[in-house]
Coordinates of all heavy atoms in Angstrom, one line a residue:
M1 N 13.1 9.3 8.2 CA 12.7 8.2 9.0 C 11.5 8.6 9.9 O 11.6 9.7 10.6 CB 13.8 7.6 9.8 CG 13.5 6.4 10.6 SD 15.1 5.5 10.6 CE 14.6 4.0 11.3
P2 N 10.4 7.8 10.0 CA 9.3 8.3 10.8 C 9.7 8.4 12.3 O 10.5 7.6 12.8 CB 8.2 7.2 10.6 CG 8.7 6.3 9.6 CD 10.2 6.6 9.3
E3 N 9.0 9.3 13.0 CA 9.2 9.4 14.5 C 8.6 8.1 15.1 O 7.6 7.5 14.5 CB 8.4 10.6 15.0 CG 9.0 11.9 14.6 CD 10.3 12.2 15.2 OE1 10.5 11.9 16.3 OE2 11.2 12.7 14.4
P4 N 9.1 7.6 16.2 CA 8.6 6.4 16.8 C 7.1 6.5 17.2 O 6.5 5.4 17.1 CB 9.4 6.3 18.1 CG 10.7 7.1 17.9 CD 10.3 8.2 16.9
T5 N 6.6 7.6 17.5 CA 5.2 7.7 17.8 C 4.3 7.9 16.6 O 3.1 7.9 16.6 CB 4.9 8.9 18.8 OG1 5.4 10.1 18.2 CG2 5.6 8.7 20.1
E6 N 4.9 8.2 15.4 CA 4.2 8.4 14.2 C 3.7 7.1 13.6 O 4.4 6.2 13.5 CB 5.1 9.1 13.2 CG 4.4 9.6 11.9 CD 5.3 10.3 11.0 OE1 6.1 11.1 11.5 OE2 5.2 10.1 9.8
E7 N 2.4 7.0 13.3 CA 1.8 5.8 12.7 C 2.3 5.7 11.3 O 2.3 6.6 10.5 CB 0.3 5.9 12.7 CG -0.3 4.6 12.3 CD -1.9 4.7 12.4 OE1 -2.4 5.4 13.2 OE2 -2.5 4.0 11.6
K8 N 2.7 4.4 10.9 CA 3.2 4.2 9.6 C 2.0 4.2 8.6 O 0.9 3.8 8.9 CB 3.8 2.8 9.5 CG 5.2 2.7 10.2 CD 5.7 1.3 9.9 CE 7.0 1.1 10.7 NZ 7.5 -0.2 10.5
L9 N 2.2 4.7 7.4 CA 1.2 4.7 6.4 C 1.1 3.3 5.8 O 2.1 2.5 5.7 CB 1.6 5.6 5.2 CG 1.7 7.1 5.6 CD1 2.4 7.9 4.4 CD2 0.4 7.7 5.9
S10 N -0.1 2.9 5.5 CA -0.3 1.5 4.9 C 0.3 1.4 3.6 O 0.7 0.3 3.2 CB -1.8 1.3 4.9 OG -2.4 1.3 6.1
Y11 N 0.3 2.5 2.8 CA 0.7 2.5 1.4 C 1.7 3.7 1.2 O 1.4 4.8 1.7 CB -0.5 2.6 0.5 CG -0.1 2.9 -1.0 CD1 0.0 1.8 -1.8 CD2 0.0 4.2 -1.5 CE1 0.4 2.0 -3.2 CE2 0.4 4.4 -2.8 CZ 0.5 3.3 -3.6 OH 0.8 3.5 -4.9
R12 N 2.8 3.4 0.5 CA 3.7 4.5 0.2 C 4.1 4.3 -1.3 O 4.3 3.1 -1.7 CB 4.9 4.4 1.0 CG 4.7 4.8 2.5 CD 5.9 4.6 3.4 NE 7.1 5.3 2.9 CZ 8.3 5.0 3.3 NH1 8.5 4.1 4.2 NH2 9.3 5.7 2.8
L13 N 4.2 5.4 -2.0 CA 4.8 5.3 -3.4 C 6.1 6.1 -3.3 O 6.1 7.3 -3.1 CB 3.9 5.9 -4.4 CG 4.4 5.9 -5.8 CD1 4.6 4.5 -6.3 CD2 3.5 6.7 -6.7
I14 N 7.2 5.4 -3.4 CA 8.5 6.0 -3.3 C 9.0 6.3 -4.7 O 9.0 5.4 -5.6 CB 9.5 5.1 -2.6 CG1 8.9 4.8 -1.2 CG2 10.9 5.7 -2.5 CD1 9.7 3.7 -0.4
T15 N 9.4 7.5 -5.0 CA 9.8 7.9 -6.3 C 11.2 8.7 -6.2 O 11.5 9.2 -5.2 CB 8.8 8.9 -6.9 OG1 8.7 10.1 -6.1 CG2 7.4 8.2 -7.1
G16 N 11.8 8.8 -7.3 CA 13.1 9.5 -7.4 C 13.9 9.1 -8.5 O 13.6 8.1 -9.3
P17 N 15.1 9.7 -8.7 CA 16.0 9.3 -9.7 C 16.5 7.9 -9.5 O 16.6 7.5 -8.3 CB 17.2 10.4 -9.6 CG 16.6 11.5 -8.9 CD 15.5 10.9 -8.0
D18 N 16.8 7.2 -10.5 CA 17.3 5.8 -10.4 C 18.8 5.8 -9.9 O 19.7 5.8 -10.7 CB 17.2 5.1 -11.7 CG 17.5 3.6 -11.6 OD1 17.5 3.1 -10.5 OD2 17.6 3.0 -12.7
T19 N 19.0 6.0 -8.6 CA 20.3 6.0 -8.0 C 20.4 5.1 -6.9 O 19.4 4.5 -6.4 CB 20.5 7.5 -7.5 OG1 19.6 7.7 -6.4 CG2 20.4 8.5 -8.6
R20 N 21.6 5.0 -6.3 CA 21.8 4.1 -5.1 C 20.9 4.6 -4.0 O 20.4 3.9 -3.2 CB 23.3 4.2 -4.7 CG 23.6 3.4 -3.5 CD 25.0 3.4 -3.1 NE 25.2 2.7 -1.9 CZ 25.5 1.4 -1.8 NH1 25.7 0.7 -2.9 NH2 25.7 0.8 -0.6
E21 N 20.8 6.0 -3.9 CA 20.0 6.5 -2.8 C 18.5 6.1 -2.9 O 17.9 5.8 -1.9 CB 20.1 8.1 -2.8 CG 19.5 8.8 -1.6 CD 18.1 9.3 -1.8 OE1 17.7 9.6 -3.0 OE2 17.4 9.5 -0.8
F22 N 18.0 6.0 -4.1 CA 16.6 5.5 -4.3 C 16.5 4.0 -3.8 O 15.6 3.7 -3.0 CB 16.2 5.6 -5.7 CG 14.8 4.9 -6.0 CD1 13.7 5.6 -5.7 CD2 14.7 3.6 -6.4 CE1 12.4 5.1 -5.9 CE2 13.5 3.0 -6.6 CZ 12.3 3.8 -6.3
C23 N 17.5 3.2 -4.2 CA 17.5 1.8 -3.7 C 17.7 1.7 -2.2 O 17.0 0.8 -1.6 CB 18.6 1.0 -4.4 SG 18.4 0.9 -6.2
E24 N 18.4 2.6 -1.6 CA 18.6 2.6 -0.1 C 17.2 3.0 0.5 O 16.9 2.4 1.6 CB 19.6 3.6 0.3 CG 21.0 3.1 0.0 CD 22.1 4.2 0.2 OE1 21.8 5.4 0.4 OE2 23.3 3.8 0.1
R25 N 16.5 3.9 -0.1 CA 15.1 4.2 0.5 C 14.2 3.0 0.4 O 13.4 2.8 1.3 CB 14.5 5.4 -0.3 CG 15.3 6.7 -0.1 CD 14.9 7.8 -1.0 NE 13.4 8.1 -0.8 CZ 12.7 8.6 -1.8 NH1 13.2 9.0 -3.0 NH2 11.4 8.9 -1.6
I26 N 14.2 2.3 -0.7 CA 13.4 1.1 -0.8 C 13.9 0.0 0.2 O 13.1 -0.6 0.9 CB 13.5 0.5 -2.2 CG1 12.9 1.5 -3.3 CG2 12.8 -0.9 -2.3 CD1 11.4 1.8 -3.1
S27 N 15.2 -0.1 0.3 CA 15.7 -1.1 1.3 C 15.3 -0.7 2.7 O 15.0 -1.6 3.6 CB 17.2 -1.2 1.2 OG 17.6 -1.7 0.0
A28 N 15.3 0.6 3.1 CA 14.9 1.0 4.4 C 13.4 0.7 4.6 O 13.0 0.3 5.7 CB 15.2 2.5 4.5
A29 N 12.6 0.9 3.6 CA 11.2 0.6 3.8 C 11.0 -0.9 4.0 O 10.1 -1.3 4.8 CB 10.4 1.1 2.5
L30 N 11.7 -1.7 3.3 CA 11.6 -3.1 3.5 C 12.0 -3.5 4.9 O 11.4 -4.4 5.6 CB 12.4 -3.9 2.5 CG 12.0 -3.7 1.0 CD1 13.0 -4.4 0.1 CD2 10.6 -4.2 0.8
A31 N 13.1 -2.9 5.4 CA 13.5 -3.1 6.8 C 12.5 -2.7 7.8 O 12.5 -3.3 8.9 CB 14.9 -2.4 7.0
E32 N 11.6 -1.7 7.5 CA 10.6 -1.2 8.4 C 9.4 -2.1 8.3 O 8.4 -1.9 9.1 CB 10.2 0.2 8.0 CG 11.2 1.2 8.2 CD 10.8 2.6 7.7 OE1 9.6 2.8 7.4 OE2 11.6 3.5 7.7
G33 N 9.4 -3.2 7.5 CA 8.2 -4.1 7.4 C 7.4 -4.0 6.2 O 6.4 -4.7 6.1
Y34 N 7.7 -3.0 5.3 CA 6.9 -2.9 4.1 C 7.3 -4.0 3.1 O 8.4 -4.6 3.2 CB 7.2 -1.5 3.4 CG 6.5 -0.4 4.1 CD1 7.2 0.3 5.1 CD2 5.3 0.1 3.8 CE1 6.6 1.4 5.8 CE2 4.7 1.1 4.4 CZ 5.3 1.8 5.4 OH 4.7 2.9 6.0
V35 N 6.4 -4.3 2.2 CA 6.7 -5.3 1.1 C 6.4 -4.6 -0.2 O 5.6 -3.7 -0.3 CB 5.9 -6.6 1.2 CG1 6.2 -7.3 2.5 CG2 4.4 -6.3 1.2
L36 N 7.1 -5.0 -1.2 CA 6.9 -4.4 -2.6 C 5.5 -4.7 -3.0 O 4.9 -5.8 -2.8 CB 7.9 -5.0 -3.5 CG 9.4 -4.8 -3.2 CD1 10.2 -5.5 -4.3 CD2 9.7 -3.3 -3.1
H37 N 4.9 -3.8 -3.7 CA 3.5 -3.9 -4.2 C 3.5 -3.6 -5.7 O 3.7 -2.4 -6.1 CB 2.5 -3.0 -3.4 CG 1.1 -3.1 -3.9 ND1 0.4 -4.3 -3.6 CD2 0.3 -2.3 -4.5 CE1 -0.8 -4.1 -4.1 NE2 -0.9 -2.9 -4.7
G38 N 3.4 -4.6 -6.5 CA 3.4 -4.3 -8.0 C 4.8 -4.2 -8.5 O 5.8 -4.3 -7.7
S39 N 4.9 -3.9 -9.7 CA 6.2 -3.8 -10.4 C 6.7 -2.3 -10.3 O 5.8 -1.4 -10.2 CB 6.1 -4.1 -11.9 OG 5.7 -5.5 -12.0
P40 N 8.0 -2.1 -10.3 CA 8.5 -0.7 -10.4 C 8.1 -0.1 -11.7 O 7.9 -0.8 -12.7 CB 10.0 -0.9 -10.2 CG 10.3 -2.3 -10.7 CD 9.0 -3.1 -10.4
A41 N 8.0 1.2 -11.7 CA 7.8 2.0 -12.9 C 9.0 2.9 -13.2 O 9.7 3.3 -12.3 CB 6.5 2.8 -12.8
A42 N 9.2 3.2 -14.5 CA 10.4 4.0 -14.8 C 10.0 4.9 -16.0 O 9.2 4.5 -16.8 CB 11.6 3.2 -15.2
T43 N 10.5 6.1 -15.9 CA 10.3 7.1 -17.0 C 11.5 7.9 -17.2 O 12.4 7.9 -16.3 CB 9.0 8.0 -16.8 OG1 8.7 8.7 -18.0 CG2 9.3 8.9 -15.6
F44 N 11.6 8.6 -18.3 CA 12.8 9.4 -18.6 C 12.3 10.9 -18.7 O 11.4 11.1 -19.5 CB 13.5 9.0 -19.9 CG 14.7 9.7 -20.2 CD1 15.9 9.6 -19.4 CD2 14.8 10.6 -21.3 CE1 17.0 10.3 -19.7 CE2 15.9 11.3 -21.6 CZ 17.0 11.2 -20.8
N45 N 12.8 11.8 -17.9 CA 12.4 13.1 -17.9 C 13.2 14.0 -18.9 O 13.1 15.3 -18.8 CB 12.4 13.7 -16.5 CG 13.7 13.9 -15.9 OD1 14.8 13.7 -16.6 ND2 13.8 14.4 -14.7
G46 N 14.0 13.4 -19.7 CA 14.8 14.2 -20.6 C 16.2 14.4 -20.1 O 17.1 14.7 -20.9
E47 N 16.4 14.1 -18.8 CA 17.8 14.2 -18.3 C 18.2 12.9 -17.5 O 19.3 12.5 -17.6 CB 17.9 15.4 -17.3 CG 17.7 16.7 -18.0 CD 17.7 17.9 -17.0 OE1 18.2 17.7 -15.9 OE2 17.3 19.0 -17.4
T48 N 17.2 12.4 -16.7 CA 17.5 11.2 -15.9 C 16.3 10.3 -15.9 O 15.2 10.7 -16.2 CB 17.8 11.6 -14.4 OG1 16.7 12.3 -13.9 CG2 19.0 12.5 -14.2
V49 N 16.6 9.0 -15.5 CA 15.6 8.1 -15.3 C 14.9 8.3 -14.0 O 15.7 8.3 -13.0 CB 16.1 6.6 -15.5 CG1 15.0 5.6 -15.2 CG2 16.7 6.4 -16.9
I50 N 13.6 8.4 -13.9 CA 12.9 8.5 -12.7 C 12.1 7.2 -12.4 O 11.5 6.7 -13.3 CB 11.9 9.7 -12.7 CG1 12.6 11.0 -13.1 CG2 11.1 9.8 -11.4 CD1 13.6 11.5 -12.1
V51 N 12.3 6.7 -11.2 CA 11.6 5.4 -10.9 C 10.6 5.6 -9.8 O 10.7 6.5 -9.0 CB 12.7 4.3 -10.6 CG1 13.5 3.9 -11.8 CG2 13.6 4.8 -9.5
A52 N 9.7 4.6 -9.7 CA 8.7 4.6 -8.6 C 8.5 3.2 -8.2 O 8.5 2.3 -9.1 CB 7.4 5.2 -9.1
Q53 N 8.3 3.0 -6.9 CA 7.9 1.6 -6.4 C 6.9 1.8 -5.3 O 7.2 2.6 -4.3 CB 9.2 0.9 -5.9 CG 8.9 -0.4 -5.2 CD 8.3 -1.4 -6.2 OE1 9.0 -1.8 -7.2 NE2 7.1 -1.9 -5.9
A54 N 5.8 1.1 -5.4 CA 4.8 1.1 -4.3 C 5.2 0.1 -3.3 O 5.7 -1.0 -3.6 CB 3.5 0.8 -4.8
V55 N 5.0 0.4 -2.0 CA 5.3 -0.5 -0.9 C 4.0 -0.5 0.0 O 3.4 0.6 0.2 CB 6.6 -0.2 -0.1 CG1 7.8 -0.4 -1.0 CG2 6.6 1.2 0.5
I56 N 3.7 -1.6 0.6 CA 2.6 -1.6 1.5 C 2.9 -2.4 2.8 O 3.9 -3.2 2.8 CB 1.3 -2.3 0.9 CG1 1.7 -3.8 0.4 CG2 0.8 -1.5 -0.3 CD1 0.5 -4.6 -0.1
L57 N 2.2 -2.1 3.9 CA 2.3 -2.9 5.1 C 1.4 -4.1 5.0 O 0.2 -3.9 4.9 CB 2.0 -2.1 6.3 CG 3.0 -1.0 6.7 CD1 2.5 -0.1 7.8 CD2 4.4 -1.7 7.1
P58 N 1.9 -5.3 5.1 CA 1.0 -6.5 5.0 C -0.1 -6.5 6.0 O -1.3 -6.9 5.7 CB 1.9 -7.7 5.2 CG 3.3 -7.2 4.9 CD 3.3 -5.7 5.2
A59 N 0.1 -6.1 7.3 CA -0.9 -6.1 8.3 C -2.1 -5.1 7.9 O -3.2 -5.4 8.2 CB -0.3 -5.7 9.6
A60 N -1.7 -4.0 7.3 CA -2.8 -3.1 6.9 C -3.6 -3.6 5.8 O -4.9 -3.4 5.8 CB -2.1 -1.8 6.5
V61 N -3.1 -4.4 4.9 CA -3.8 -5.0 3.8 C -4.7 -6.1 4.4 O -5.9 -6.2 4.1 CB -2.9 -5.5 2.7 CG1 -3.7 -6.3 1.7 CG2 -2.1 -4.4 2.1
A62 N -4.2 -6.9 5.3 CA -5.0 -7.9 5.9 C -6.1 -7.3 6.7 O -7.3 -7.9 6.6 CB -4.1 -8.8 6.9
S63 N -5.9 -6.2 7.4 CA -7.0 -5.6 8.1 C -8.1 -5.0 7.2 O -9.3 -5.2 7.4 CB -6.4 -4.4 8.9 OG -7.4 -3.7 9.6
A64 N -7.7 -4.5 6.1 CA -8.6 -3.9 5.1 C -9.4 -5.1 4.4 O -10.6 -5.0 4.3 CB -7.9 -3.1 4.0
D65 N -8.7 -6.2 4.1 CA -9.4 -7.4 3.6 C -10.4 -7.9 4.5 O -11.5 -8.3 4.1 CB -8.4 -8.5 3.2 CG -7.5 -8.1 2.0 OD1 -7.9 -7.2 1.3 OD2 -6.6 -8.9 1.7
A66 N -10.1 -8.0 5.8 CA -11.0 -8.5 6.8 C -12.2 -7.5 6.9 O -13.4 -8.0 7.1 CB -10.3 -8.6 8.2
A67 N -12.0 -6.2 6.8 CA -13.1 -5.3 6.9 C -14.1 -5.5 5.7 O -15.3 -5.4 5.9 CB -12.6 -3.9 7.0
V68 N -13.5 -5.7 4.5 CA -14.3 -5.9 3.3 C -15.1 -7.2 3.5 O -16.3 -7.3 3.2 CB -13.4 -5.9 2.1 CG1 -14.2 -6.4 0.9 CG2 -12.9 -4.5 1.8
A69 N -14.4 -8.3 3.9 CA -15.1 -9.6 4.1 C -16.3 -9.4 5.1 O -17.4 -10.0 4.9 CB -14.1 -10.6 4.6
S70 N -16.0 -8.7 6.2 CA -17.1 -8.5 7.2 C -18.3 -7.7 6.6 O -19.4 -8.0 6.8 CB -16.5 -7.7 8.4 OG -17.5 -7.5 9.4
A71 N -18.0 -6.7 5.8 CA -19.0 -5.9 5.2 C -19.8 -6.8 4.2 O -21.1 -6.6 4.1 CB -18.5 -4.7 4.5
V72 N -19.2 -7.6 3.4 CA -19.9 -8.5 2.5 C -20.8 -9.5 3.3 O -21.9 -9.7 2.9 CB -18.9 -9.3 1.6 CG1 -19.5 -10.4 0.8 CG2 -18.2 -8.3 0.7
D73 N -20.3 -10.0 4.4 CA -21.1 -10.9 5.2 C -22.3 -10.2 5.7 O -23.4 -10.8 5.7 CB -20.3 -11.5 6.4 CG -19.2 -12.5 6.0 OD1 -19.3 -13.0 4.8 OD2 -18.3 -12.8 6.8
E74 N -22.2 -9.0 6.2 CA -23.3 -8.2 6.7 C -24.3 -8.0 5.6 O -25.5 -8.1 5.8 CB -22.8 -6.9 7.3 CG -22.1 -7.0 8.6 CD -21.6 -5.7 9.1 OE1 -22.2 -4.6 8.7 OE2 -20.7 -5.7 9.9
L75 N -23.8 -7.7 4.4 CA -24.7 -7.5 3.2 C -25.5 -8.7 2.9 O -26.7 -8.7 2.7 CB -23.9 -7.0 2.0 CG -24.7 -6.6 0.8 CD1 -25.8 -5.6 1.1 CD2 -23.8 -6.2 -0.3
D76 N -24.8 -9.9 2.9 CA -25.4 -11.2 2.7 C -26.5 -11.4 3.7 O -27.6 -11.9 3.3 CB -24.4 -12.3 2.7 CG -23.5 -12.3 1.4 OD1 -23.9 -11.6 0.4 OD2 -22.4 -13.0 1.5
N77 N -26.2 -11.2 5.0 CA -27.2 -11.4 6.0 C -28.4 -10.5 5.9 O -29.5 -10.9 6.1 CB -26.6 -11.2 7.4 CG -25.5 -12.3 7.7 OD1 -25.6 -13.4 7.2 ND2 -24.6 -11.9 8.6
Y78 N -28.2 -9.3 5.4 CA -29.2 -8.3 5.2 C -30.1 -8.8 4.1 O -31.3 -8.7 4.2 CB -28.6 -6.9 4.9 CG -29.6 -5.8 4.6 CD1 -30.3 -5.2 5.6 CD2 -29.9 -5.5 3.3 CE1 -31.2 -4.2 5.4 CE2 -30.8 -4.5 3.0 CZ -31.5 -3.8 4.0 OH -32.4 -2.9 3.8
E79 N -29.5 -9.2 3.0 CA -30.3 -9.7 1.8 C -31.1 -10.9 2.2 O -32.3 -11.1 1.8 CB -29.4 -10.0 0.7 CG -28.8 -8.7 0.0 CD -27.8 -9.0 -1.0 OE1 -27.4 -10.1 -1.2 OE2 -27.4 -8.0 -1.7
E80 N -30.5 -11.9 3.0 CA -31.2 -13.1 3.4 C -32.4 -12.7 4.3 O -33.4 -13.4 4.2 CB -30.3 -14.0 4.2 CG -29.2 -14.7 3.3 CD -28.2 -15.4 4.1 OE1 -28.3 -15.6 5.3 OE2 -27.2 -15.9 3.4
A81 N -32.3 -11.7 5.1 CA -33.4 -11.3 5.9 C -34.7 -10.9 5.1 O -35.8 -10.9 5.6 CB -33.0 -10.2 6.9
F82 N -34.4 -10.4 3.9 CA -35.5 -9.8 3.1 C -35.9 -10.7 1.9 O -36.7 -10.3 1.1 CB -35.2 -8.4 2.6 CG -35.2 -7.4 3.7 CD1 -34.1 -7.1 4.4 CD2 -36.4 -6.8 4.1 CE1 -34.1 -6.2 5.5 CE2 -36.5 -5.9 5.1 CZ -35.3 -5.6 5.8
E83 N -35.3 -11.9 1.9 CA -35.7 -12.8 0.8 C -37.2 -13.2 0.8 O -37.7 -13.4 1.9 CB -34.9 -14.1 0.9 CG -33.5 -14.0 0.3 CD -32.7 -15.3 0.3 OE1 -33.3 -16.4 0.6 OE2 -31.5 -15.2 0.1
G84 N -37.8 -13.1 -0.3 CA -39.2 -13.5 -0.4 C -40.1 -12.3 -0.1 O -41.3 -12.4 -0.3
H85 N -39.6 -11.1 0.3 CA -40.4 -10.0 0.5 C -40.4 -9.1 -0.8 O -39.4 -8.9 -1.4 CB -39.9 -9.1 1.7 CG -40.1 -9.8 3.0 ND1 -39.2 -10.8 3.4 CD2 -41.0 -9.6 4.0 CE1 -39.6 -11.3 4.6 NE2 -40.7 -10.5 5.0
A86 N -41.6 -8.5 -1.1 CA -41.6 -7.7 -2.3 C -41.3 -6.3 -2.0 O -41.4 -5.8 -1.0 CB -43.0 -7.8 -2.9

């Protein structure tokens, strides 16, 4: 569990054997505010099934989306300033 002063990662890929403990780790991440991102993945290593699930913080994604939108707006304004110039 992260320290209270430790900043949460925006994205986490949780992996491990397909056990109750893995499900508890996913449940704990959901309780911390993460949401599932994409479908789970599973593979067999010859002995056990290994699973993976990506989780993200919605606020971090919203912040990144806003930054991209802002950058696109700035690019549009830059292009408009030079329209008609060779």
Side-chain angles (χ1 to χ4, degrees):
M1 185 146 187
E3 293 292 320
T5 57
E6 185 178 323
E7 185 176 333
K8 289 183 184 179
L9 297 172
S10 301
Y11 171 90
R12 291 172 54 195
L13 180 64
I14 301 172
T15 62
D18 188 13
T19 62
R20 177 182 179 90
E21 192 258 336
F22 175 82
C23 294
E24 289 170 351
R25 292 172 58 208
I26 297 296
S27 295
L30 297 175
E32 291 175 10
Y34 286 89
V35 295
L36 301 177
H37 182 68
S39 299
T43 190
F44 182 68
N45 70 2
E47 294 179 18
T48 59
V49 174
I50 304 298
V51 289
Q53 176 64 61
V55 294
I56 58 173
L57 286 174
V61 172
S63 175
D65 286 349
V68 169
S70 182
V72 169
D73 287 345
E74 288 178 23
L75 182 58
D76 287 344
N77 292 336
Y78 178 80
E79 289 174 352
E80 289 171 7
F82 288 94
E83 280 183 10
H85 291 78

